[in-house]
Amino acid sequence: MISEDSDSNGDRKVKIAVIGPEDAGKTTVVRQLSDKFTTVSPRGKTVGIDFGKCKYYEGVYMFGVPGHLRFKFVMRLGARNADGMILVIDSADPRIDKAVKIYNIVKSVVKNPHRVVVFANKQDLPDALSPEQVGELVERALGISPPVIGTVAIKGEGLREGLDTLLFQPTYNDNDIEVKGIR
């Protein structure tokens, strides 16, 4: 999938929406994958949009949206025209019902709702579900089987693998996302 947006040099831009329930680790994911990062998070809760410029690929930008359902309009704005989604799930407290609601809110505004990867985050916690268990929950709840990557966002573990999976995974009737070289 190639983004329609381009910068002043004509280079393509790729927009990734980072979605999921509150406290799943979305802000940390965006921060860890970015070399330039901005957030609107008074008292540690995202109420606006987290923004990051990817440190691994030129022209790849991440937009983290709030995980509270009262911010539906911000979720839609942040995810609008995204080329793909990272669904962050807290493996120790999956709140899959909330994840389903958030996915359903944003899927109509992204370019391809099937280009999604799940980050089964907080794998370092003793009561965390395995990535396979999180994948089963997602499949039962959403009826889709996206790739699931075990992550520990605060340590950066699994994040690059998950991003690469999202950017280069084949999807239904979809071209690859065009990304420019690894930085």
Side-chain angles (χ1 to χ4, degrees):
M1 171 184 334
I2 300 174
S3 173
E4 299 296 322
D5 300 325
S6 45
D7 63 17
S8 59
N9 298 326
D11 291 332
R12 301 279 182 190
K13 292 182 184 177
V14 176
K15 179 178 181 179
I16 306 298
V18 181
I19 68 171
E22 69 273 5
D23 299 321
K26 299 175 299 298
T27 297
T28 305
V29 167
V30 175
R31 182 182 295 118
Q32 290 280 16
L33 288 172
S34 302
D35 58 6
K36 293 185 180 175
F37 172 77
T38 304
T39 188
V40 179
S41 302
R43 291 183 245 152
K45 299 293 178 195
T46 304
V47 296
I49 296 173
D50 296 326
F51 172 77
K53 182 178 177 218
C54 184
K55 63 184 174 186
Y56 301 113
Y57 300 104
E58 293 178 32
V60 176
Y61 301 91
M62 283 152 292
F63 291 76
V65 301
H68 292 278
L69 294 174
R70 69 178 175 262
F71 295 116
K72 290 179 193 175
F73 70 99
V74 179
M75 289 178 193
R76 287 187 192 103
L77 286 172
R80 186 171 312 285
N81 293 321
D83 296 290
M85 292 183 283
I86 296 172
L87 174 57
V88 184
I89 302 288
D90 178 342
S91 298
D93 183 14
R95 289 176 282 162
I96 200 69
D97 56 328
K98 213 169 223 187
V100 168
K101 289 176 184 173
I102 292 167
Y103 176 82
N104 286 330
I105 288 167
V106 301
K107 75 178 182 181
S108 64
V109 299
V110 299
K111 291 180 181 177
N112 184 344
H114 299 291
R115 185 174 285 280
V116 61
V117 66
V118 174
F119 283 10
N121 197 26
K122 304 184 183 181
Q123 287 294 301
D124 57 331
L125 297 180
D127 53 347
L129 298 176
S130 70
E132 294 78 18
Q133 291 170 310
V134 171
E136 290 170 11
L137 288 174
V138 169
E139 185 173 357
R140 279 197 305 267
L142 291 174
I144 60 172
S145 300
V148 179
I149 308 297
T151 62
V152 181
I154 60 170
K155 295 179 181 176
E157 294 174 7
L159 302 183
R160 174 73 186 270
E161 176 189 354
L163 178 65
D164 287 348
T165 299
L166 177 67
L167 292 174
F168 304 111
Q169 73 173 318
T171 58
Y172 315 121
N173 301 320
D174 191 22
N175 298 320
D176 286 337
I177 292 177
E178 183 179 300
V179 293
K180 217 175 190 178
I182 298 173
R183 290 199 260 163

